[in-house]
Amino acid sequence: MIAVVDAVQTRVVATLHGSLPMGGFVANAPIHALTAPLPAFDDAMQPAERTDIDLGGPLAFGIDNIISEAEADRIIALTEQMGYRPEAPGIQTAPGMRMNKSVHWVADAALIQRIFARIGPLLPPQIDGDTLHPQLSQRLNMYRYDDNDVFNRHTDGDWPGFGLSADGTQMVEWPGLRSKLTMLLYLNGPEQGVLGGNTRLFRPDGGAVDVTPRKGAALFFRHGFGRGSVLHEGARVLGEVPKYVARINVLYTQQG
C-alpha cells in the first residue's frame, strides 16, 4: 500500500508544450516542485552495489540499494498528488512510442544530493573526456505504466542540467553541463505485484538483455545519439498494479 503524503505543498515552476502519446501537443503542461524538502532517507540501508551489464560494447550497469522502500512509496504518493497526465512536458516522441503517463518535477537539492552520495563513487568518473558533475539533474521525468502501457523501442536524448532558482519559484538550466547516462530509478516491481514492465536493452549484435525492475534500484546506460547509445524499450505492463519509474539524468562537465 502506498502511503498518503500529508502536508506536502507543491508549486508549478515551469510550463512547456507537452507531447501526447499518439501525436499532437498540449500547451502549458506543468513542471512541479516542492515548497519544502522531503524528509531524509531511512538510515538502515545496505551499501549501494553496482553490477555491470554485458551489451557487447555499450555501457550499461545496475546499482542496488539507492533508496529505501519507504522513500520509493513517498515519491509515488507525491507524484500521484501532482497528477499523472497523458502529455509529457518538453518531450518529443514519435506517435505510438511513449504509451504511458507522465509527471515532471524539479526535486529539492537535498534529495538529489542524498541519492548522488550513494551512487557517485560507482559512476564513471569520465565519459568522452568529460568529467562527472557532482550532482544529478534535479529535473525528474516520472512515468506511470498502467495496464497495457508500453514505451516502444527508442534511444534517449541527452539533456542539460536543471535546478531551481534561488527563491524556488522557477526551473533554471545549468550552463556547461550535459547528460551522458540515463538513470532509471525503479519505484516498484514484481514483488509489489507489477506484471511485465521489464526494461529491454538491445545489443549491437541483435540480441537483448532484459532488466527486471527492483524497488529502490536503478538501471544506468549510455544515451544521446552517438554510436555507444543504448537502444531500449519499456516492456508492456499488464494487470491492475501500475509500474512507476523515474528517469534521472547523470551530468558531465563539458570540456572546451
Side-chain angles (χ1 to χ4, degrees), residues 44-180:
M45 290 185 63
Q46 297 295 319
E49 183 176 355
R50 171 172 163 168
T51 303
D52 289 342
I53 299 171
D54 182 9
L55 295 181
L59 176 64
F61 55 93
I63 297 181
D64 291 328
N65 305 316
I66 296 176
I67 62 173
S68 68
E69 291 199 5
E71 189 71 21
D73 288 347
R74 191 180 297 135
I75 293 172
I76 291 173
L78 171 66
T79 53
E80 282 287 359
Q81 178 178 306
M82 293 175 186
Y84 283 85
R85 302 158 65 111
E87 70 271 17
I91 304 293
Q92 289 187 314
T93 52
M97 177 183 291
R98 182 192 62 81
M99 304 297 293
N100 59 21
K101 290 78 180 176
S102 173
V103 62
H104 289 202
W105 62 298
V106 183
D108 59 271
L111 170 63
I112 296 301
Q113 288 165 0
R114 293 196 299 268
I115 292 175
F116 188 87
R118 294 188 65 81
I119 67 173
L122 303 176
L123 298 176
Q126 288 193 324
I127 294 180
D128 299 336
D130 295 340
T131 302
L132 177 67
H133 182 66
Q135 188 173 354
L136 303 166
S137 179
Q138 291 175 227
R139 177 175 172 176
L140 276 57
N141 302 357
M142 307 290 304
Y143 296 111
R144 188 184 77 197
Y145 292 75
D146 295 321
D147 183 33
N148 209 39
D149 282 353
V150 63
F151 205 139
N152 287 306
R153 190 181 303 203
H154 65 286
T155 300
D156 288 350
D158 61 347
W159 286 71
F162 291 96
L164 288 173
S165 59
D167 63 2
T169 62
Q170 298 181 64
M171 182 175 72
V172 295
E173 183 176 326
W174 295 337
L177 301 173
R178 204 74 191 174
S179 66
K180 292 185 178 290

